[in-house]
Structures are given as C-alpha cells and as structure tokens.
Amino acid sequence: MAVEVCICLKDHLDSVEKIQDISPLEGDLEWVEDEIHTKEIAFVEVEEEDNKRKPIVVILVGAPGSGKSTFCDHVMRVSTRPWVRVCQDTIGNGKAGTKAQCLAMSVTSLKDGKSVLIDRCNLDKEQRADFVKLGQSHKVDIQAMVLDLPAKLCISRSVKRTGHEGNLQGGKAAAVVNRMLQKKELPKLNEGFSRITICQNENDVRAAMDTYGALSSADTLPSGCFGEKKTDNKVQVGIMKFLKKVDAPSKVSSDKTIPGSSSRTTKENPTLNEGQEQSGTCPLEGVPTLAFPSISTADFQFNIEKASEIIVETVEEFVNKIGNARLVLVDLSHGSKILSLVKTKAATKNIDPKKFFTFVGDITKLRSRSLHCNVIANAANWRLKPGGGGVNAAIFDAAGPELDTATKKRAGSLTPGKAVTVSLPSTSPLFSKEGVTHVIHVLGPNMNPKRPNCLKNDYNMGCKVLREAYSSLFESFASIVRHQEKLSDSSCVEPDAIPHCDQKVRREEASVAEKNKKFKGFIEVAESEKWDALDGKQNATDCGKTGGHVKKDWGTWSQALYRIAMHPEKHKNDVLEVTDDVVVLNDVYPKAQKHLLVLARAEGLERLADVGREHLPILRTLHAVGLKWAEAFIKENESLIFRLGYHSAPSMRQLHLHVISQDFNSKGMRNKKHWNSFTSPFFLDSVDVIQEVREQGKATLKDDDKLLSMELRCNRCRSAHPNIPRLKSHISICKAPFPAHLLQNNRLLHAPIKDDPC
DNA sequence: GTTCTAGAAC
DNA sequence: GTTCTAGAAC
C-alpha cells in the first residue's frame, strides 16, 4: 500500500508559484525537487504484494505536433489503470505552465497511487532529468515514450492546428519545431528509464497506444528499449528531407504478457519442443513460418496416402521459393498417420528439414510449444463460417470474433482449391498471445457424401483440387513473406533484428495495402490478390516481360487511352489531332489550365518502361507535336509556361506525353499524388527522356512511390505546405522563379522574354 | 461540427 | 485514372 507520510499540495503550489515568478521556463529546478523532498512526499516502502499496483511515470518525448496529447488522451480513455496527464500547456490555467508545476502535480498524483503521463516535449536529457529523479525518489518505474515522428509531420500538424493548448500553431510552429528538433536527444536507459518505447511512425504510435491502453493496475511492462534505432539520427535538418512515410529501422524486444506486444527475448536459443516431430529445426521467433493442417483428410475423408503425396510434392515445389521461411504440417494427435507418411516422403525427396517439418500440437497454441508461426492455415468450410468442429472451430475460437469479422471483409465464401488470406487484428487473442498475424483459409476437396460438394470418389478431380488448394495456400504465404522481405530490406534492419515484433507487424500490416496499391495490376499484386481468391479479380494472365520490365496487367479503367489511340475515329469528340503516329486530346481530368496528352499509336508501347532506342523516332514525334501545341497555347496566352514530360509509372495504358501548363490551376488537381506526379522527379521531362534513350537505350524511371507521397512543395519556391488547399492558395500567388534545373535545356517552355526597355 | 486524407472499389 | 467514404485531425 502506498502511504503518504505528509503533503500539503497547496504549500507546494504556493512554493511553485513563487519559484515560477523568478524562474525561467526551463530553469534549473533541482531545488524544487529538494523542497518537495523536505516537505517529504514519499511512499513508504511498498511491499511485494502491492508491487503490482505500483504507479508508473511515463515521460512523453516528442516535438510539438508529434501526438503526445493524443497518446495521453487515448491511454487515459481506454486503460483501466488510473492515470493523470501532467501537461505543461494546461497546468497554468491559461498562463504559461512551468516545469515545477508539472513536478508538483506528478508528486501529488503518485501520492494518490495514480500513474503519471508527463505531457511535455522533454526532448533532451536535461529536460527529462527532474522527472526521472522524481520517479526514482518514489521508487516507481520511469518509462519513456518517444514520439520520434518525421519533422515534416510534426510541423504539418503544428502549422495546421488552431486552439492548441500551448498556443503553438500557425506559422511560428514550423520554426519552433525545427529549432527544437535540432536539440533532440533520444532517451537512454542509463538516464534512469526502466523502459523506453520509440515510435517512428504513426503505426508505431498506434501500437504503443494499444500497449499502454491495455495496462490495468496490475499489469507491468517488460524493461528495455523498444523500437530503438540503430543509429541516433539526432539532428533533423530542415523538413525537405522528410518524406511522409519514413519508416526508420527498429529493433523491438518482447512482451509476452501485454496484448499489443510481442515476444523475442526468450527464444534466442530455443530448445526443441517435445511436441516437435522433426529434428534439425529451430523454432526461432522471427522466421516467417506457416503452420498448416492436413487439408481434407479429416472430415472430408480424402485418402491419406494420396494426400501425403500431394503435400510433399507441393511443398517441394514451393519450399525454395520462400527464402528462409518455413512450412510446418501440424496435427493434433500423436501417432498421426498423415504426419508420418509426409515425414517419410519428405525425407526421400531430401526436402530441407529446416524449411519443412511436421509438428504434433494444437495449431492455435504453437507458441506455447516454442514454435512461433506468424501465419496459420485454416481448413475452412466453404461459407468461411466459424464452428463445425475440427481445426476450423479451434482457430475461430482461439482467434475470437475478430477473425470472423476480418474474414467477412475479405470474402463471403470459398471455392474448393482456393485460399484467402485474412490479416488478424491485433486485438485478436491469436495475434496477441500467439503472434499470428495472418490466417489463410483454405478449402480442399470433399470426399465425404455427408458434406457439401462431394466429389463422389472422383480422385482425378480430388487430387487436382487438393494440389490447387496447397498451391494457393503456399502462394498466399509466399506473398506475405515477400511483403515482409521488402519491408525488411527497406528498413535496413540488421539481419538478426527482424523479429515478428508487434510494432513491425503493425507496420507491415499498415504497409501491405500500400504495397498492394503500388503494385496494383502488376504480377506481384496479382499473387497477393489471390488472398481474395473468390473475388475473381486477379487477372494476371499476361505474365510476359517487355523491355526487361514486368509487364503491367492493365485494369479496364486504365485502357481508355489505349482504346483512343487504336481507334481515334470512335472518339472524334475527344481528339484534337490525329496522325499516323499520334493522337492529341485534352486530359479528361486536367491538372492545370492547359493539359493535353499526346498518345503514341504504336501497339505494344504501353509506357515509358517499354521504350528503347528503336522508339526514338516516336519519342521525337511526340515531343514535336507537344511542342507545337504548347507554343500555340503560349501564343494565345503569354503567361502560360509549359512542361512536356512523362510519368515514370503511368496509371493509364499507352505511352502518352503530358503537355501541361505550370499554373496547376485546375479543380482536377486534388491530391498529393496528382501534385507530386507532375512536380517531383516522378515527372520526366521529354527532353531528358529523349537524351537518355539516345545515350543509354532507355529512360531512367523514378517510380519510387515515396516520390508520390512526398510532402507538398511549391513547384517554384519549393516551400512546404500542409495540405492541397493551402498549397493551391500558395501557388496561385507565388511568383518565385522556377528551380534552376528546370530553366535549363528547354525543360520549361514559355513566351520569349522581352528585353527590358531600360 | 467541418476539412482533409487515404484506402477500397471500380 | 476517379469516386466514395471512413476516420483522423481540427
């Protein structure tokens, strides 16, 4: 029991008020702490049985706009632990608050047995020291919650906000945030923290919110540094370098007890679990692993001998396509016939036992058997409904209603031979307890006359469908692994530091949709789209390559230009000019006052990636036609300035040159992608493309999607703006000269500059 | 309450 | 490419 010896808050606040009168905001307040001690606010030694109710002090660390208050609000709203938010911006009741007031309030709160969230910037060690000492003197855990978000994001939020408690908003915010970040000093454990959580993007923040939000009075969080960057990027110079989707490397440790955390610490040198059938395997956390049951051999009564052959053959086909990832056939019963058959057949085929092995155990409780599988397969029913017994019932039971809900969002039913991947919400017990991030529902052939779609002993069809089922399953798993590898590669994490930690998983989950979007229509996504097997939308039938690039599989909507290029006579109302080589038309959704497209009419020339030296004549023709139109527009309106160029990765099929005026004054210019596709290096000037193709045989594409999500910067003065409306109001008045590189090599087309008569 | 963004669907 | 819309931000 925490017992107050003596305290008079009023005395403290009186003292604090006096101090405030003579102290600068961030002055040395050590003696306040001493004063507090002399008044003696302390806890009587807390005994072991009460340790669980010990309050904690969480010191937020982050620039204005990093989301400290949002974090506090969320945690206080959802956590059952009593919290007090100590906010310097509000503590002064309208006047500027002081650190001393924050310290005093913290003391009072701890005295009341409440945990404390220190909501102030605390960006350097010195700022944090008093709060650390305070916690130490009261023998409570001091934890740091670092919101190390991109400067650009903090600035954007700060600039935008109105009514901020600390009156830091609008134009001055950017300068303040930048200045503060120059002094940023990430906390270290040796400052006195028992736990440090570093969040570097909004997904990390959400994960941390969940972790702290889940804390009841009795819960504790493991000690250590979570999400630590490999290098301390202390100085964030300027905002230009900060892209919105910065996802810095992280190294996260574990927490087995709190949902929203994950485990790694205990599994560095695992021993084989007794349930493990195959030797030579290592149940390491972090190795992507698919646990799957034998499909169709239980209730669907598929012949076990045939099934085992199909399993091993399909495994053999896939096992080398999934890197270091592992496949594990799981069965609940010891002496399982299917396991022994598969094990024997796998051995005869010399399948690497580290990549494929069998395991006896409950597929929903593998982590507790020291086998961490981030993906599990479910032998589903065609309705994708919970219940029914067997593996399906067990998985839906273990995953909670979250799986049912998430499954419904993905698909309503499943065809035999198909698989559908469902991302498990972090709130699912299977996620939090077992570290399972995805469930792949798979439906095999049914040979049981009492079940739907019985094949009536037609094993020709049955084997075909079962093989297809395993292929779909493994392909879906491979797709997940590929996504994870891409993310790992891009985050530069040390190879041994890629556990399936919660924060990483959340980042991955959040990024999957983005990755899908990036590759939408390409082979990569066609594979992941098989997650949604029933949608029938994956149409990656065209898997050929053109010009060394994966050929894009264009959707219906993206074929409009192609259709016009091939049959301009059917679009007479839309086209402005037709020749044997090109079609000119207004962009249907112009992004500027004048915005034309010059289409190449050659079949098979779908995008810039297809262009080689042999296409130089058509590139020159496109340029010449574009130039002619731009000059005509300039003649009509001398204030217009044009660029001619290509998108590195166009959305529409058929090579097309944009002829676009640089005012970008159009209601069609509506979002960041639009803006950046014409003002970032994603837009390749026609003159440069021609030169590169002539000299190198191809254009250097800049199709990194980071370019399209870059911060919004004026195309003239390069100033940053928080959103499209603000940007548009800026560019409507900005008369700054264009960046120097655009002024060279005729990249910009404009009216002749008249000689100054003076 | 409104504004804005971003993802899903097309 | 757009439209629609949920949800974040304010």
Side-chain angles (χ1 to χ4, degrees):
Chain A
M1 175 74 72
V3 178
E4 168 193 353
V5 174
C6 70
I7 183 173
C8 172
L9 177 60
K10 185 174 183 305
D11 285 349
H12 271 291
L13 291 178
D14 287 346
S15 304
V16 164
E17 286 298 320
K18 287 171 193 162
I19 297 160
Q20 187 187 337
D21 289 340
I22 59 171
S23 299
L25 181 67
E26 305 297 355
D28 179 1
L29 296 167
E30 265 192 14
W31 67 277
V32 176
E33 178 67 2
D34 293 338
E35 180 75 1
I36 291 166
H37 289 164
T38 57
K39 297 265 183 183
E40 203 37 70
I41 310 152
F43 293 103
V44 168
E45 197 66 29
V46 179
E47 297 303 324
E48 271 188 22
E49 62 269 26
D50 288 320
N51 269 345
K52 287 180 179 175
R53 292 184 181 173
K54 213 169 173 179
I56 58 175
V57 174
V58 179
I59 299 178
L60 279 294
V61 177
S66 60
K68 299 186 295 297
S69 297
T70 305
F71 179 91
C72 294
D73 289 345
H74 177 86
V75 169
M76 292 175 72
R77 192 169 62 248
V78 304
S79 166
T80 56
R81 170 183 286 256
W83 290 96
V84 170
R85 173 188 170 218
V86 176
C87 175
Q88 191 157 325
D89 291 329
T90 56
I91 204 168
N93 278 331
K95 294 188 292 183
T98 67
K99 191 177 176 185
Q101 286 175 301
C102 295
L103 285 162
M105 188 176 178
S106 304
V107 168
T108 311
S109 305
L110 290 173
K111 175 205 71 172
D112 290 342
K114 292 175 179 168
S115 294
V116 179
L117 292 155
I118 309 293
D119 181 2
R120 57 199 296 282
C121 295
N122 300 307
L123 280 169
D124 60 56
K125 184 178 175 182
E126 188 184 336
Q127 289 290 324
R128 299 186 287 264
D130 291 316
F131 296 96
V132 172
K133 275 205 289 186
L134 176 67
Q136 287 170 336
S137 68
H138 293 90
K139 296 189 170 63
V140 297
D141 264 358
I142 317 294
Q143 303 181 4
M145 170 54 55
V146 186
L147 302 175
D148 188 24
L149 273 71
K152 178 252 161 201
L153 182 60
C154 300
I155 290 168
S156 169
R157 287 174 177 170
S158 302
V159 168
K160 276 192 288 186
R161 65 189 175 191
T162 56
H164 175 238
E165 293 163 339
N167 197 30
L168 182 63
Q169 58 202 38
K172 70 175 182 179
V176 172
V177 173
N178 257 337
R179 195 167 60 242
M180 294 180 81
L181 285 173
Q182 301 290 319
K183 295 200 304 178
K184 182 183 76 174
E185 196 178 1
L186 291 181
K188 302 273 191 330
L189 290 171
N190 63 14
E191 285 177 43
F193 294 106
S194 62
R195 177 186 172 96
I196 297 172
T197 308
I198 298 175
C199 302
Q200 291 165 321
N201 58 45
E202 290 171 272
N203 293 322
D204 289 350
V205 176
R206 278 192 284 276
M209 280 181 177
D210 288 347
T211 300
Y212 276 91
L215 275 183
S216 71
S217 297
D219 290 324
T220 58
L221 288 171
S223 300
C225 190
F226 297 78
E228 188 177 22
K229 288 164 74 174
K230 198 166 71 173
T231 56
D232 186 0
N233 185 18
K234 182 178 176 180
V235 180
Q236 302 190 43
V237 183
I239 57 175
M240 190 160 178
K241 294 179 181 175
F242 293 88
L243 302 175
K244 180 158 189 182
K245 299 197 182 303
V246 166
D247 193 3
S250 63
K251 185 174 182 175
V252 181
S253 296
S254 71
D255 175 2
K256 291 200 297 184
T257 55
I258 303 300
S261 300
S262 64
S263 85
R264 180 169 186 259
T265 52
T266 59
K267 304 296 191 299
E268 294 289 356
N269 294 298
T271 54
L272 291 179
N273 186 286
E274 64 178 5
Q276 197 155 331
E277 288 273 302
Q278 188 86 25
S279 63
T281 59
C282 177
L284 282 171
E285 297 265 350
V287 179
T289 305
L290 167 71
F292 65 98
S294 173
I295 306 297
S296 293
T297 50
D299 196 33
F300 283 0
Q301 299 178 357
F302 198 97
N303 177 278
I304 287 175
E305 182 70 39
K306 288 185 170 67
S308 64
E309 274 176 29
I310 290 168
I311 290 170
V312 173
E313 285 169 12
T314 324
V315 164
E316 186 184 25
E317 183 186 336
F318 274 87
V319 78
N320 292 322
K321 296 181 182 176
I322 53 173
N324 68 337
R326 306 176 305 176
L327 305 171
V328 188
L329 177 64
V330 176
D331 196 289
L332 192 57
S333 57
H334 281 281
S336 156
K337 194 173 176 188
I338 186 77
L339 291 196
S340 69
L341 284 170
V342 165
K343 200 164 62 172
T344 306
K345 288 186 166 72
T348 60
K349 286 182 175 287
N350 290 323
I351 294 175
D352 184 350
K354 288 177 183 168
K355 290 188 174 180
F356 174 60
F357 53 93
T358 59
F359 193 94
V360 175
D362 183 340
I363 199 167
T364 66
K365 294 173 184 167
L366 296 174
R367 180 184 261 183
S368 59
R369 305 290 299 274
S370 298
L371 177 66
H372 177 227
C373 299
N374 61 312
V375 182
I376 63 174
N378 176 35
N381 53 56
W382 75 276
R383 290 180 188 274
L384 292 168
K385 296 279 187 192
V391 169
N392 184 66
I395 290 178
F396 272 102
D397 279 352
E402 289 89 345
L403 176 60
D404 192 24
T405 306
T407 300
K408 283 193 173 84
K409 286 181 185 170
R410 294 290 299 159
S413 60
L414 197 54
T415 312
K418 302 292 185 188
V420 58
T421 299
V422 176
S423 290
L424 261 190
S426 60
T427 47
S428 164
L430 208 51
F431 184 110
S432 53
K433 292 178 184 169
E434 290 289 318
V436 175
T437 62
H438 298 83
V439 172
I440 304 173
H441 297 297
V442 56
L443 183 61
N446 171 39
M447 311 312 257
N448 181 349
K450 293 177 183 172
R451 297 284 177 261
N453 303 316
C454 175
L455 291 176
K456 297 176 182 171
N457 217 32
D458 177 359
Y459 269 94
N460 283 334
M461 178 59 76
C463 290
K464 186 179 166 208
V465 173
L466 187 61
R467 200 176 296 275
E468 189 187 352
Y470 280 111
S471 294
S472 300
L473 169 62
F474 297 151
E475 191 58 64
S476 299
F477 175 60
S479 180
I480 295 170
V481 173
R482 278 196 294 274
H483 284 301
Q484 290 171 343
E485 284 175 349
K486 279 178 194 165
L487 290 161
S488 299
D489 289 346
S490 63
S491 63
C492 302
V493 182
E494 293 171 7
D496 63 345
I498 313 175
H500 280 283
C501 59
D502 182 64
Q503 292 179 342
K504 177 168 166 47
V505 165
R506 282 161 190 272
R507 281 201 301 279
E508 285 161 359
E509 294 221 328
S511 301
V512 162
E514 191 181 339
K515 293 281 175 185
N516 281 352
K517 191 174 179 183
K518 173 180 176 183
F519 293 108
K520 189 141 190 164
F522 290 79
I523 302 292
E524 287 90 340
V525 106
E527 291 168 345
S528 63
E529 286 293 329
K530 287 178 181 173
W531 291 5
D532 208 345
L534 275 192
D535 279 1
K537 288 175 186 165
Q538 72 273 21
N539 50 358
T541 52
D542 185 354
C543 298
K545 289 199 168 191
T546 306
H549 294 270
V550 178
K551 197 166 182 180
K552 185 166 178 170
D553 181 32
W554 303 93
T556 310
W557 53 263
S558 63
Q559 309 263 15
L561 298 181
Y562 171 74
R563 288 193 288 267
I564 293 171
M566 295 301 121
H567 300 289
E569 72 282 359
K570 294 181 181 173
H571 304 271
K572 284 179 181 167
N573 293 333
D574 300 316
V575 302
L576 300 171
E577 178 183 354
V578 182
T579 71
D580 288 346
D581 300 318
V582 304
V583 174
V584 182
L585 71 159
N586 277 309
D587 193 304
V588 180
Y589 299 96
K591 305 301 184 293
Q593 280 187 56
K594 295 292 180 185
H595 186 183
L596 301 187
L597 303 177
V598 185
L599 314 184
R601 296 193 64 191
E603 182 75 67
L605 202 53
E606 298 185 347
R607 51 185 178 148
L608 204 48
D610 299 333
V611 168
R613 256 195 203 97
E614 68 276 22
H615 300 110
L616 269 172
I618 185 62
L619 288 180
R620 291 188 174 119
T621 302
L622 291 169
H623 185 90
V625 172
L627 191 61
K628 180 186 76 178
W629 279 90
E631 286 172 345
F633 285 131
I634 290 169
K635 203 169 180 180
E636 283 177 14
N637 180 353
E638 292 195 349
S639 70
L640 292 175
I641 298 171
F642 281 87
R643 269 178 93 183
L644 273 53
Y646 300 87
H647 282 157
S648 290
S651 297
M652 304 293 283
R653 177 181 181 185
Q654 197 62 12
L655 183 69
H656 55 282
L657 174 77
H658 290 271
V659 179
I660 185 165
S661 59
Q662 296 299 290
D663 50 85
F664 298 114
N665 176 17
S666 169
K667 63 180 181 182
M669 177 60 78
R670 284 193 312 226
N671 60 43
K672 184 176 276 187
K673 186 177 175 184
H674 292 156
W675 179 257
N676 286 327
S677 71
F678 289 101
T679 62
S680 79
F682 184 88
F683 188 84
L684 303 172
D685 288 284
S686 174
V687 287
D688 296 330
V689 167
I690 290 171
Q691 184 180 343
E692 285 195 328
V693 172
R694 189 181 65 236
E695 294 175 356
Q696 303 164 25
K698 61 178 181 179
T700 307
L701 305 178
K702 308 277 176 53
D703 58 353
D704 185 343
D705 64 354
K706 278 183 179 169
L707 289 171
L708 296 178
S709 55
M710 271 174 60
E711 61 197 352
L712 297 166
R713 284 192 168 269
C714 173
N715 59 317
R716 285 172 171 259
C717 70
R718 305 305 298 160
S719 59
H721 300 271
N723 54 45
I724 289 288
R726 298 272 194 101
L727 173 73
K728 291 180 84 166
S729 63
H730 168 81
I731 60 172
S732 69
I733 57 169
C734 182
K735 302 297 178 199
F738 283 89
H741 80 278
L742 289 182
L743 301 174
Q744 299 163 357
N745 207 19
N746 291 325
R747 293 184 178 99
L748 285 179
L749 305 173
H750 50 77
I753 299 168
K754 290 173 183 160
D755 291 338
D756 187 338
C758 301

